[in-house]
Amino acid sequence: MTALKLYNSLTRAKDAFAPIDPRDVRMYVCGPTVYDRAHIGNARPVIVFDLLFRLLRHVYGESHVAYVRNITDVDDKINARAAERGITIRQLTDETAKGFHEDVAALGCLRPTAEPRATEFICRGAGELDMVKLVERLIERGHAYEADGHVLFDVASMPAYGRLARRTLDEMEAGARVEVASYKKGPMDFVLWKPSKADEPAWDSPWGRGRPGWHLECSAMSAALLGEVFDIHGGGIDLIFPHHENEIAQSTCCFGTETMANVWLHNGFLQVEGEKMSKSLGNFVTIRDVLADWPGDIARLAMFSAHYRQPINWTLKSLQEAERTLGQWFDAAAEGAEPRPAPGVVDALADDLNTPRMIAEIHRLKAEGGRKALAGTLGFLGFRPDVFEDWRAARAPKAGLPREEIERLIDARIEARREKNFAEADRIRDELLAGGVVLKDGAAGTSWEVAR
Ligand code: AMP
Ligand code: ZN
């Protein structure tokens, strides 16, 4: 079996990966809060963990990987946006979740094995784990307290708090912009449950009608769907503190476990043309904006150009380069091959998802003329020749030739050159040029591109 190594934020080391159950892997990734279109920074964890999902399925078998990515559909930003637009919360969250699914499907991402909505895990039937029961247990075990209609997690009750973020309570208190509230025992104590006003969504609870705090949902959904302790937990680096630290606090104190997940993976941040993306800077790019100009496959490859833990600079240049690279790969790949990664690509990915090395491996495959291995690898990675071709065809000059005809002519030209019939070879080259196709003869054979 492939030896997989992953950089674990908990140990700060690249560790050999071994699932708790040797035959089945369980992974949880924090998903979107559905109040607005996802931006291209949000696409990074989706694409990175899709790649890991594909690798795990390759190593452990398709039916042996559970991948849960939640949908946060209870949040004050959602309430505010629905009110602003004059639609119901459900209309807003349904519409936004649908748009998110369209966006990430266009980026070549598989659906996770489960996509629970937070609102479905607040109050469930007897015997079913939910957020209310989790809070009850935390109170029983002395890790949470009720104050002024709220329930708060008592950070001082947990000596290991801060282990993931590697910060002491004193450091956190000094650095954090925490909400000061008279009912809190300690300044870092965070909300598990809060009361709702009449116009806010509310669920019945032992502490009155209210709604859960954000961190609670991931503890409840991951435990309900993956168990009290599971293998991999992922998200962007900004989630380490406080979100993931608080998830760990809730889960381990509720279940009396040592840890919540064994391996914590965090992707680095995406910047746009070298600057932090923000609405005020006017460089805020949604996934939809990117897809208006580029096929999802090109955006996907551009996302792989940096290692997932490093920051990535999202630039026009990187998209243009991905376009060129992917075009060359598809032109050199066989058609109709089964999705299957070449061993060198698996090795690169098994090394903490080393995508720059993966790209170098694919270039090598192409240079070696492994047309089938190349096609199989691209298919495994979620690249779709038809999507790319449709886009390229739409941009092709009007007199453009169909792809099959181009390939037939290229083969005929190779044959003519083999027979030293250079006049015929040149005639074919001119015929292709008239059709808007430029040939490039290289060491690895002949490739082509559309004349601009
Ligand atoms: P949010 O909706 O802000 O909770 O973000 C959803 C996911 O996107 C989380 O995993 C974040 O860490 C991640 N994320 C948000 N902004 C960026 C960014 N600029 N670059 C990379 N990941 C991001
Ligand atoms: Zn989470």
Side-chain angles (χ1 to χ4, degrees):
M1 190 176 277
T2 309
L4 175 58
K5 282 189 177 162
L6 295 170
Y7 183 90
N8 187 352
S9 302
L10 206 51
T11 60
R12 304 265 167 112
K14 216 182 324 183
D15 297 333
F17 175 70
I20 297 162
D21 174 347
R23 284 166 44 87
D24 288 284
V25 183
R26 290 168 286 154
M27 170 162 84
Y28 185 93
V29 176
C30 300
T33 304
V34 284
Y35 68 100
D36 206 348
R37 285 217 182 287
H39 60 66
I40 193 64
N42 299 136
R44 194 174 195 197
V46 178
I47 293 175
V48 163
F49 290 103
D50 177 71
L51 185 63
L52 179 58
F53 181 39
R54 287 169 188 267
L55 176 66
L56 291 168
R57 286 173 15 133
H58 173 72
V59 175
Y60 292 92
E62 230 170 76
S63 58
H64 293 278
V65 185
Y67 170 23
V68 178
R69 184 183 63 209
N70 68 296
I71 289 177
T72 299
D73 60 350
V74 49
D75 185 278
D76 290 351
K77 288 193 286 281
I78 295 175
N79 306 343
R81 183 61 59 90
E84 208 177 286
R85 290 185 49 192
I87 56 177
T88 66
I89 285 173
R90 187 74 201 199
Q91 277 169 334
L92 176 67
T93 59
D94 279 351
E95 173 195 302
T96 313
K98 182 167 171 284
F100 175 77
H101 284 134
E102 289 164 1
D103 287 353
V104 300
L107 294 170
C109 298
L110 300 170
R111 286 293 279 259
T113 48
E115 286 187 279
R117 279 173 163 260
T119 49
E120 286 162 10
F121 285 79
I122 297 174
C123 277
R124 299 163 86 209
E128 304 261 21
L129 185 67
D130 59 31
M131 296 184 215
V132 169
K133 293 190 195 81
L134 222 144
V135 176
E136 283 178 321
R137 266 166 90 169
L138 285 169
I139 295 175
E140 266 165 41
R141 290 174 156 259
H143 291 290
Y145 57 94
E146 193 184 347
D148 207 12
H150 294 66
V151 181
L152 290 131
F153 186 90
D154 182 358
V155 167
S157 75
M158 184 198 179
Y161 189 79
R163 188 172 149 222
L164 178 69
R166 301 237 174 153
R167 286 193 244 182
T168 66
L169 208 49
D170 286 346
E171 283 165 357
M172 287 186 274
E173 285 176 11
R177 280 181 301 171
V178 288
E179 197 190 329
V180 187
S182 55
Y183 49 80
K184 279 190 188 180
K185 282 207 251 172
M188 298 307 292
D189 293 355
F190 58 89
V191 169
L192 298 171
W193 190 266
K194 59 186 170 189
S196 292
K197 297 195 194 83
D199 60 343
E200 288 169 339
W203 287 261
D204 284 326
S205 84
W207 321 284
R209 280 181 68 72
R211 58 198 195 280
W214 170 40
H215 314 301
L216 188 63
E217 61 178 82
C218 293
S219 287
M221 288 186 277
S222 62
L225 297 169
L226 297 175
E228 294 176 0
V229 184
F230 51 94
D231 300 302
I232 299 173
H233 194 312
I237 194 163
D238 57 318
L239 298 185
I240 291 184
F241 188 82
H243 184 54
H244 288 167
E245 193 69 56
N246 291 352
E247 284 187 27
I248 293 173
Q250 294 161 163
S251 296
T252 58
C253 290
C254 176
F255 305 123
T257 49
E258 191 53 33
T259 186
M260 176 185 188
N262 284 336
V263 184
W264 290 76
L265 301 183
H266 294 100
N267 64 269
F269 248 46
L270 175 144
Q271 292 200 316
V272 172
E273 303 287 352
E275 285 193 279
K276 184 178 172 351
M277 181 166 41
S278 83
K279 286 201 168 131
S280 58
L281 281 175
N283 65 350
F284 190 88
V285 185
T286 64
I287 300 176
R288 210 46 76 101
D289 295 333
V290 172
L291 293 173
D293 294 337
W294 303 90
D297 296 59
I298 287 177
R300 186 174 176 85
L301 179 58
M303 207 61 98
F304 292 150
S305 63
H307 185 264
Y308 77 92
R309 280 199 291 119
Q310 300 302 320
I312 190 168
N313 190 11
W314 190 259
T315 61
L316 178 61
K317 206 163 147 263
S318 69
L319 285 158
Q320 287 167 338
E321 183 168 328
E323 176 196 356
R324 216 166 25 247
T325 302
L326 201 56
Q328 288 168 359
W329 288 350
F330 277 139
D331 289 342
E335 266 171 50
E338 282 289 301
R340 181 178 303 131
V345 166
V346 174
D347 287 348
L349 293 177
D351 177 18
D352 193 31
L353 292 185
N354 190 335
T355 52
R357 191 174 134 199
M358 168 194 95
I359 290 171
E361 281 294 330
I362 302 174
H363 281 305
R364 206 167 58 83
L365 271 185
K366 174 179 165 279
E368 286 171 355
R371 285 166 49 80
K372 257 193 144 150
L374 181 58
T377 296
L378 294 176
F380 163 78
L381 293 172
F383 293 114
R384 301 147 300 183
D386 49 338
V387 172
F388 184 80
E389 280 314 324
D390 287 350
W391 178 77
R392 189 151 70 171
R395 299 195 341 153
K398 282 279 169 289
L401 297 165
R403 189 190 169 93
E404 303 77 54
E405 180 63 3
I406 295 170
E407 282 174 357
R408 194 190 64 74
L409 285 167
I410 290 175
D411 287 345
R413 179 167 166 270
I414 292 169
E415 192 54 35
R417 297 212 314 176
R418 193 175 296 131
E419 290 166 358
K420 306 219 182 301
N421 185 351
F422 297 113
E424 172 65 1
D426 287 349
R427 191 197 63 72
I428 295 174
R429 169 187 284 273
D430 292 344
E431 182 181 341
L432 282 164
L433 194 58
V437 173
V438 181
L439 294 186
K440 288 186 297 178
D441 295 315
T446 300
S447 64
W448 61 275
E449 63 184 24
V450 173
R452 298 270 168 81

